């Protein structure tokens, strides 16, 4: 009851900032940092993920909350007097499907809290600027909406060609000076810019080594996706809408999620022009369009009697391979199925998990595998993708059975017993969730 007025106050301030940003799209905000008071920090705490892993100080959200009011007052005082210091980010590595590894950062909880407080301010401003083509970590937007729009635009705009682009190491190669310059087009508050600079330059701890990269944003931070979105809004979205689209002879569109984007063109000549200017545009901001992974794909509605030179290709976007095929009624439609790389990665992960956890109690294994499958279905269960969902379920059943039977002699389960167990412990059957 007592928190409601404070939350309303913060919400009112956010609404005022949003209205001002919408009313003056060409103006920059010069006074924002003063809004981050104890009430604002308390609201930011409520909005911060409490389940993520702690940083190098090993302080969890639960521990921080045990003395929340004193911690927030102390934090506010350090922010107000300029004594707040960003803590280096702990780096861990995750395997990618191509055999390489992707770095993930683990900031300390207090840094995540302050980042959330600043992100609340920036989101109120930039949500008025962002275009509909952007679906990256925005309120009430998700990848399935991007997939839906991609399909609708391809079919409704008579799209014939897709430019499937790939930005080389985007998050690791963002030019920090250029990023700050882009932010200052809308936010010139020294306090906010100073905080962003502290997070960008806090350093990275890996094992016993502390390094200070001179470019990129620390992945894993609350603020990083928003900063990346702001940068690409200027580098790509705004440029495409204001400069590229008016110069195209045919219809075209852009759909972007983080640094993953596709451009659809009605005419091949427009697609060729985009392929020519895209690397030059990104080079201006010290970013590289991958020369071999970026490709132009024929993707028009198939015509009767088309020869082999007019056959469509396929492209991957947001974990799905997109292709033209006939529906059950005989109409040409765009279908999607899980991309082969994503499917291989899933099957490999399931196999490894079953192997590493085969000695756990069977009931516990069953519950975890069910949760994994339901999570997988939650994203990939779209219309037209049922067979690949079934394949994941079948493979999971097979892997589980194989590794349970490969346990030690004393714990090994006979084949007939295993069959009866799997009759009792039925893994969840897939069902289509997203009719897009």
């Amino acid at each position: 009851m007592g928190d409601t007025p404070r939350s309303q106050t913060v919400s009112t301030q956010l609404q005022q900032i949003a209205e001002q940003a919408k009313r003056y799209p060409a103006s920059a905000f010069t006074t924002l940092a003063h809004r981050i008071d104890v009430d604002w920090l308390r609201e930011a705490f409520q909005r911060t993920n409490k389940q993520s892993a702690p940083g190098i100080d090993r302080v969890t959200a639960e521990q921080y909350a045990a003395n929340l009011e004193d911690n927030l007052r102390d934090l506010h005082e350090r922010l107000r007097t300029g004594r707040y210091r960003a803590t280096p980010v702990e780096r861990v590595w995750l395997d990618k499907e191509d055999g390489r590894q992707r770095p993930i950062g683990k900031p300390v909880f207090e840094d995540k809290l302050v980042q959330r407080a600043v992100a609340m301010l920036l989101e109120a401003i930039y949500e008025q600027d962002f275009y509909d083509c952007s679906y990256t970590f925005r309120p009430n937007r998700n990848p399935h909406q991007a997939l839906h729009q991609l399909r609708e635009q391809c079919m409704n705009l008579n799209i014939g060609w897709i430019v499937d682009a790939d930005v080389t190491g985007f998050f690791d190669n963002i030019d920090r000076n250029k990023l700050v310059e882009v932010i200052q087009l809308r936010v010139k508050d020294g306090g906010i810019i100073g905080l962003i600079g502290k997070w960008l330059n806090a350093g990275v701890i890996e094992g016993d080594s502390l390094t200070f990269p001179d470019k990129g944003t620390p992945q894993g931070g609350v603020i990083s996706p928003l900063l990346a979105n702001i940068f690409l809004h200027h580098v790509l979205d705004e440029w495409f809408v204001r400069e590229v689209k008016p110069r195209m002879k045919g219809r075209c569109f852009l759909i972007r999620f983080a640094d993953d984007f596709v451009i659809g063109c009605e005419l091949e000549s427009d697609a060729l022009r985009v392929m020519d200017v895209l690397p030059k545009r990104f080079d201006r901001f010290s970013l590289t369009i991958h020369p071999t992974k970026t490709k132009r794909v024929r993707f028009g509605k198939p015509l009767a009697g088309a020869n082999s030179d007019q056959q469509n290709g396929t492209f991957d976007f947001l974990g799905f391979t997109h292709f033209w095929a006939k529906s059950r009624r005989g109409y040409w439609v765009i279908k999607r199925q899980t991309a082969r790389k994503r499917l291989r990665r899933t099957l490999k992960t399931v196999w490894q998990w079953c192997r590493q956890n085969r000695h756990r109690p069977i009931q516990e294994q069953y519950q975890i595998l069910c949760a994994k499958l339901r999570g997988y279905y939650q994203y990939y269960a779209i219309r037209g993708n049922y067979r690949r969902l079934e394949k994941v379920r079948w493979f999971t059943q097979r892997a589980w059975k194989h590794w349970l039977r490969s346990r030690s002699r004393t714990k090994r389960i006979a084949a007939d017993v295993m069959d009866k167990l799997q009759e009792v412990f039925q893994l969840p059957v897939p069902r289509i969730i997203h009719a897009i």
Side-chain angles (χ1 to χ4, degrees):
M1 185 73 177
D3 288 343
T4 302
R6 289 193 291 265
S7 298
Q8 289 177 345
T9 300
V10 172
S11 298
T12 302
Q13 291 185 68
L14 287 171
Q15 185 176 359
Q16 291 171 348
I17 294 170
E19 290 173 353
Q20 189 174 353
K22 189 173 184 178
R23 190 179 302 117
Y24 304 104
S27 300
F29 287 77
T30 56
T31 54
L32 285 172
H34 70 282
R35 294 182 181 270
I36 304 179
D37 55 15
V38 175
D39 289 342
W40 194 282
L41 290 172
R42 189 182 298 107
E43 179 67 18
F45 172 83
Q46 297 299 328
R47 299 189 185 193
T48 302
N49 181 12
K50 314 295 194 301
Q51 307 302 319
S52 55
I56 59 173
D57 63 357
R58 299 297 178 253
V59 175
T60 65
E62 185 178 359
Q63 292 170 332
Y64 196 88
N67 197 21
L68 182 61
E69 291 304 316
D70 288 343
N71 285 334
L72 293 181
R73 282 193 291 269
D74 175 67
L75 174 58
H76 173 251
E77 183 64 20
R78 283 183 282 129
L79 287 168
R80 189 183 66 82
T81 58
R83 292 183 293 111
Y84 165 80
R85 294 290 181 268
T87 306
V89 175
E90 184 179 6
R91 174 181 285 172
V92 295
W93 295 85
L94 297 179
D95 292 331
K96 297 176 67 175
E97 60 252 24
D98 58 5
R100 295 181 298 170
Q101 290 186 312
R102 179 166 61 97
I104 293 294
K106 296 196 297 182
V108 301
F109 181 79
E110 187 171 77
D111 284 349
K112 285 187 279 191
L113 193 159
V114 183
Q115 288 182 22
R116 175 58 64 195
V118 172
M120 288 160 56
L121 287 169
L122 297 181
E123 282 176 355
I125 297 169
Y126 282 99
E127 273 301 310
Q128 317 313 311
D129 298 350
F130 289 155
Y131 292 100
D132 288 340
C133 62
S134 167
Y135 291 84
T136 316
F137 307 114
R138 294 177 59 188
N140 303 316
R141 286 183 168 240
N142 59 58
H144 292 99
Q145 292 173 333
L147 291 167
H148 173 73
Q149 278 302 310
L150 172 59
R151 182 179 185 273
E152 292 299 303
Q153 301 253 35
C154 282
M155 298 182 70
N156 295 334
L157 300 183
N158 194 31
I159 295 301
W161 297 85
I162 291 289
V163 176
D164 181 14
D166 183 273
V167 185
T168 303
F170 171 70
F171 287 95
D172 296 331
N173 291 291
I174 293 178
D175 186 306
R176 293 174 179 175
N177 292 328
K178 289 183 170 62
L179 171 61
V180 171
E181 289 174 7
V182 168
I183 295 172
Q184 288 179 325
L185 295 174
R186 278 300 249 163
V187 176
K188 289 187 177 179
D189 184 304
I192 299 299
I193 298 298
L195 286 173
I196 293 172
K198 287 180 179 181
W199 296 321
L200 292 176
N201 298 292
V204 175
I205 287 184
E206 190 172 349
D208 297 327
S209 174
L210 174 61
T211 58
F212 295 90
D214 59 358
K215 59 183 179 179
T217 61
Q219 294 191 51
V222 173
I223 200 74
S224 294
L226 179 57
L227 296 181
N229 210 21
I230 292 170
F231 197 52
L232 277 177
H233 165 75
H234 179 77
V235 174
L236 178 62
D237 305 353
E238 195 171 53
W239 169 73
F240 180 84
V241 170
R242 295 186 178 183
E243 298 185 32
V244 176
K245 198 171 182 179
R247 291 177 170 83
M248 296 291 100
K249 294 181 179 180
R251 291 174 291 184
C252 60
F253 71 85
L254 165 71
I255 298 288
R256 179 176 67 81
F257 192 92
D259 60 329
D260 194 4
F261 66 93
V262 293
I263 297 173
C265 299
E266 186 177 9
L267 305 176
E268 182 181 12
S269 58
D270 287 341
L272 289 170
R273 292 179 66 188
V274 169
M275 289 283 288
D276 181 54
V277 299
L278 198 60
K280 299 174 184 177
R281 173 65 179 179
F282 274 70
D283 185 62
R284 284 183 54 187
F285 294 89
S286 304
L287 294 171
T288 303
I289 296 293
H290 200 289
T292 57
K293 291 184 179 180
T294 300
K295 57 184 180 179
R296 176 174 51 90
V297 180
R298 179 187 288 275
F299 202 72
K301 185 175 181 179
L303 301 175
N307 59 44
S308 59
D309 293 333
Q310 296 174 314
Q311 296 300 315
N312 278 320
T314 65
F315 66 94
D316 291 348
F317 183 64
L318 297 182
F320 293 93
T321 298
H322 301 249
F323 59 97
W324 280 93
K326 283 193 173 182
S327 68
R328 292 180 179 178
R329 296 183 178 182
Y331 300 110
W332 284 106
V333 295
I334 295 174
K335 293 188 176 183
R336 285 72 52 89
Q337 62 183 16
T338 309
R340 291 185 182 276
K341 285 185 178 179
R342 293 289 186 95
L343 183 62
R344 285 198 299 267
R345 183 176 66 182
T346 298
L347 301 184
K348 180 181 177 182
T349 301
V350 167
W351 186 266
Q352 291 176 340
W353 189 91
C354 290
R355 178 184 180 182
Q356 294 167 0
N357 295 274
R358 62 189 185 273
H359 296 297
R360 285 191 179 193
I362 293 177
Q363 177 70 30
E364 184 179 331
Q365 291 186 50
Y366 170 71
Q367 292 174 347
I368 294 175
L369 286 173
C370 286
K372 287 179 178 292
L373 282 175
R374 291 192 186 100
Y376 184 84
Y377 300 157
Q378 190 66 35
Y379 185 79
Y380 287 102
I382 71 172
R383 183 177 295 170
N385 196 37
Y386 193 82
R387 287 187 178 179
R388 295 215 163 173
L389 299 178
E390 282 187 318
K391 183 174 182 178
V392 171
R393 181 183 183 275
W394 171 83
F395 183 87
T396 302
Q397 195 89 20
R398 175 174 170 266
W400 191 29
K401 180 177 180 179
H402 173 85
W403 288 112
L404 282 180
R405 294 192 62 198
S406 300
R407 301 202 293 185
S408 62
R409 290 185 178 180
T410 56
K411 293 185 177 181
R412 186 176 300 166
I413 300 175
D416 58 337
V417 177
M418 188 67 237
D419 290 338
K420 290 180 180 179
L421 278 173
Q422 292 198 325
E423 288 180 9
V424 175
F425 295 106
Q426 290 276 338
L427 294 177
V429 176
R431 63 182 182 87
I432 298 302
I433 299 174
H434 307 285
I436 58 175

